Amino acid sequence: MTKEEADRRLEKFKDALSSDFSDRRIVDAHILHGACFAVSEDDHYSLKEEIANEFSLKVHQDIFVVGSAKLGFSISPTKRYRIFGDTSDIDVAIVSHDLYEKVWHETHEYMESGAYWPDRRQFEKYLAWGWIRPDKLPRGVSFEFTEAWWEFFRSIQVSRRYGPYKIAAAIYHDMTFLTKYQMNSVAACRNIAGDQ
């Protein structure tokens, strides 16, 4: 899509902030559902299907493209309203209690082994918020999940089926945590708009 389309989507989002006082409704309407900016409707489905097949998940229930790839602009505090571009990532939220628990148990065993894990505290911080950031997982041959995860997402990027973008994903325990995280970002945008 074009920059003009991203600008149009941004104005529509800002209008929603001023007219719709439900952060949950804005998240549902603009972030979790509807057309994806960065890829076509067919590619949007194919990307979600590819991820769902890799992790034995459901396409429509467990996989969500989020962030600037979905909206056409970022609502992250450090990049607020930056338009999606060639250096942007396609961010994916995977919502799966089972996958989350699997990774959580594996990281617990790794921690108990006493192995070196420089990002442990950061990992624990996100875990408390109900999501797993794979870039904070242990690395190396003694923690196989991390290498398999990155290899899978690298293979999608290298294929360039969905453009030249890096594809990154996080795992959420359930929809409540994903929705609350997105609602916090929407609320921050609303607060900024209210201050202007």
Side-chain angles (χ1 to χ4, degrees), residues 15-188:
D15 287 346
L17 289 177
S18 61
S19 63
D20 190 335
F21 299 106
S22 168
D23 294 342
R24 173 64 186 262
R25 188 170 187 288
I26 290 173
V27 168
D28 285 344
H30 294 268
I31 299 170
L32 298 181
H33 303 288
C36 182
F37 176 82
V39 293
S40 70
E41 187 176 337
D42 287 344
D43 285 345
H44 184 198
Y45 181 84
S46 294
L47 173 60
K48 290 168 55 171
E49 182 180 45
E50 198 166 343
I51 295 167
N53 289 342
E54 177 70 15
F55 298 105
S56 301
L57 302 170
K58 296 179 180 80
V59 175
H60 294 298
Q61 182 178 315
D62 302 332
I63 314 292
F64 299 87
V65 175
V66 294
S68 62
K70 173 63 174 65
L71 291 167
F73 54 89
S74 177
I75 57 172
S76 167
T78 58
K79 299 180 277 189
R80 186 164 289 122
Y81 301 145
R82 184 185 304 166
I83 300 298
F84 183 88
D86 291 342
T87 59
S88 300
D89 297 348
I90 295 178
D91 292 317
V92 177
I94 297 174
V95 180
S96 170
H97 175 271
D98 291 344
L99 183 59
Y100 186 96
E101 293 275 322
K102 174 187 183 302
V103 177
W104 188 8
H105 283 283
E106 288 181 17
T107 55
H108 178 76
E109 288 176 20
Y110 186 87
M111 181 185 69
E112 285 200 326
S113 76
Y116 179 65
W117 183 5
D119 288 327
R120 177 181 161 191
R121 295 284 180 238
Q122 284 292 309
F123 174 84
E124 291 170 345
K125 180 182 97 171
Y126 287 99
L127 195 70
W129 289 99
W131 57 297
I132 290 172
R133 277 188 54 174
D135 61 327
K136 304 301 179 190
L137 286 170
R139 293 184 177 264
V141 293
S142 58
F143 196 80
E144 294 176 9
F145 179 85
T146 306
E147 290 309 309
W149 175 274
W150 291 117
E151 184 53 39
F152 169 70
F153 283 102
R154 267 194 302 269
S155 73
I156 297 176
Q157 181 181 354
V158 167
S159 76
R160 299 179 74 85
R161 286 188 295 273
Y162 310 104
Y165 315 110
K166 176 185 175 188
I167 299 171
I171 306 166
Y172 288 80
H173 185 268
D174 56 44
M175 280 303 297
T176 300
F177 287 109
L178 172 59
T179 302
K180 283 186 176 178
Y181 178 76
Q182 297 296 334
M183 285 172 64
N184 288 340
S185 294
V186 168

